[in-house]
Amino acid sequence: GVVVSLSKEGKVVASAHGGFTDDLLALFDAAFRKAKCKSSDVKEITVDRGPGGFSAVRRRVSVATALARS
């Protein structure tokens, strides 16, 4: 499965779990709602390299890059 976590000062404040990399944006939305924060509060986006095949990791990096640029 895929996990999106939001942290503040090194402490996880919210997380959302899903089955597939295709769920990333929905998982981000769910985590933001749980943490009661806005996208403007984001200071950093990180991507874990696994487990998963190259294509799954590439999708995670692509979504993170798109979010960072937007």
Side-chain angles (χ1 to χ4, degrees):
V2 178
V3 178
V4 169
S5 297
L6 302 178
S7 61
K8 184 174 185 175
E9 299 173 4
K11 181 181 175 187
V12 174
V13 294
S15 62
H17 305 264
F20 301 101
T21 305
D22 297 341
D23 297 340
L24 280 175
L25 294 177
L27 293 175
F28 272 106
D29 185 50
F32 277 115
R33 280 194 244 141
K34 285 181 186 177
K36 297 180 182 170
C37 67
K38 302 175 279 187
S39 59
S40 60
D41 297 330
V42 174
K43 304 291 185 237
E44 181 179 10
I45 298 173
T46 60
V47 177
D48 188 1
R49 62 182 168 160
F54 175 74
S55 294
V57 175
R58 188 175 58 185
R59 274 188 235 118
R60 293 177 207 151
V61 170
S62 296
V63 169
T65 301
L67 289 171
R69 289 183 179 176
S70 66

